[in-house]
Amino acid sequence: PTMAELLAQGKQPEVLFWVGCAGSFDDRAKKITKAFVKILNKVNIEFAVLGAEESCSGDPAKRAGNEFLFQMQAMMNIQVLDGYEIKKIVTTCPHCFNTLKNEYPNLGGNYEVMHHTQFLKALLNEGRLKVEGGKFKGKRITYHDPCYLGRANDVYEAPRSLIEKLDAELVEMKRCKSKGLCCGAGGAQMFKEEEKGDKRINTERAEEARATATDFVASACPFCNTMLSDGLKVAENQNDPHVLDIAEIIAQAIK
């Protein structure tokens, strides 16, 4: 349901799901959106989306240096969010998460903002979400830290604790946590050609993921998902790990 529909019924959702541009328009990221919604429905979370009233958070504009455009986009969003008296927001995109949480307050937009890995971890702690290993039991999984979730916001443990609940083996890459390597998409790099160099950064990161000899690469960002998947295709082999978002993994492991 959209916020407009809920408001017409006189209801206020437990949480607003901020879908984000990738989750709305990118075919691969839409699967992450659907997986997260499947979890929300399964554990009876009353949530809403903004639908057509949701605009880009402004993250790419700000990172690319267009502060004026960022503030225009942010102010429009804040007006909509405040109009619905939104208090709690959850998003599957670390870029939206970082911008809404850390940069909107400067423009008067103050909300409790959670990344979906934090939200799922909280549901687990409260006993509202129950997972089992299923197809992931005994599998080897490595986790890639998105920059805007890890280094920018110190969220390292929530995604890892979700993986460990699957009775799976968590194998760390050589560069992880605060020393994790960027996938190459952050800072609006996702939307431009890279500068000339010896090797693409996502190829470098994909090789590190491949070196763990794991069954799956888990990530928690639609940009990272795309970059890692593309990086693995450079020297593709049949034993390559499968790239999945944490939401997709949990959606398949939910009791």
Side-chain angles (χ1 to χ4, degrees), residues 70-86:
F70 162 71
Q71 291 199 16
M72 275 175 52
Q73 289 180 301
M75 293 303 287
M76 279 191 333
N77 285 325
I78 289 167
Q79 207 171 3
V80 172
L81 291 166
D82 287 353
Y84 286 121
E85 297 181 359
I86 297 298

Side-chain angles (χ1 to χ4, degrees), residues 6-24:
L6 277 196
L7 190 68
Q9 297 167 29
K11 290 182 185 171
Q12 189 73 6
E14 185 178 337
V15 68
L16 174 82
F17 174 27
W18 183 277
V19 183
C21 301
S24 299

Side-chain angles (χ1 to χ4, degrees), residues 2 7 18 43-44 50-51 76 108 111 113 132 136 161 164 167 171 178 194-196 214:
T2 63
L7 190 68
W18 183 277
V43 297
N44 296 317
L50 287 174
M76 279 191 333
Y111 318 101
V113 187
E132 54 193 1
F136 301 103
S161 61
E164 284 163 356
D167 296 331
V171 184
S178 61
E194 62 275 287
E195 290 82 7
K196 198 164 168 40
T214 48

Side-chain angles (χ1 to χ4, degrees), residues 17-226:
F17 174 27
W18 183 277
V19 183
C21 301
S24 299
F25 302 115
D26 178 77
D27 285 342
R28 175 65 188 89
K30 283 180 195 173
K31 293 177 182 174
I32 300 169
T33 303
K34 287 176 181 172
F36 186 56
V37 167
K38 181 183 169 185
I39 299 167
L40 294 177
N41 286 329
K42 181 83 175 176
V43 297
N44 296 317
I45 299 286
E46 195 162 289
F47 74 99
V49 296
L50 287 174
E53 290 185 277
E54 182 187 298
S55 173
C56 176
S57 68
D59 166 80
K62 188 172 181 76
R63 305 298 160 235
N66 194 338
E67 182 67 24
F68 176 66
L69 177 57
F70 162 71
Q71 291 199 16
M72 275 175 52
Q73 289 180 301
M75 293 303 287
M76 279 191 333
N77 285 325
I78 289 167
Q79 207 171 3
V80 172
L81 291 166
D82 287 353
Y84 286 121
E85 297 181 359
I86 297 298
K87 303 284 187 292
K88 189 171 182 178
I89 301 172
V90 63
T91 178
T92 52
C93 174
H95 296 259
C96 298
F97 166 68
N98 179 66
T99 304
L100 294 169
K101 179 175 182 279
N102 299 322
E103 289 162 353
Y104 273 34
N106 298 332
L107 299 168
N110 294 289
Y111 318 101
E112 181 191 348
V113 187
M114 296 182 85
H115 185 256
H116 71 302
T117 55
Q118 294 175 308
F119 189 67
L120 294 175
K121 173 77 167 41
L123 291 177
L124 260 177
N125 292 348
E126 292 164 17
R128 295 172 73 181
L129 174 66
K130 292 181 172 62
V131 296
E132 54 193 1
K135 67 181 267 190
F136 301 103
K137 188 169 184 174
K139 297 289 187 188
R140 288 162 56 84
I141 302 175
T142 191
Y143 172 68
H144 164 79
D145 288 284
C147 297
Y148 283 93
L149 190 62
R151 282 194 296 273
N153 287 285
D154 284 326
V155 179
Y156 297 114
E157 294 314 315
R160 286 175 169 82
S161 61
L162 289 166
I163 293 168
E164 284 163 356
K165 282 274 188 274
L166 302 168
D167 296 331
E169 184 187 349
L170 177 62
V171 184
E172 295 288 5
M173 281 185 253
K174 196 173 173 184
R175 286 185 272 194
C176 63
K177 298 188 179 178
S178 61
K179 292 188 169 60
L181 180 68
C182 175
C183 73
Q189 297 289 323
M190 184 80 174
F191 307 104
K192 61 183 272 297
E193 293 301 316
E194 62 275 287
E195 290 82 7
K196 198 164 168 40
D198 298 327
K199 186 195 281 185
R200 285 180 166 176
I201 191 166
N202 64 321
T203 308
E204 172 89 3
R205 190 56 167 165
E207 285 169 4
E208 290 184 6
R210 183 182 280 131
T212 60
T214 48
D215 304 290
F216 298 95
V217 179
S219 187
C221 171
F223 290 4
C224 296
N225 198 301
T226 296

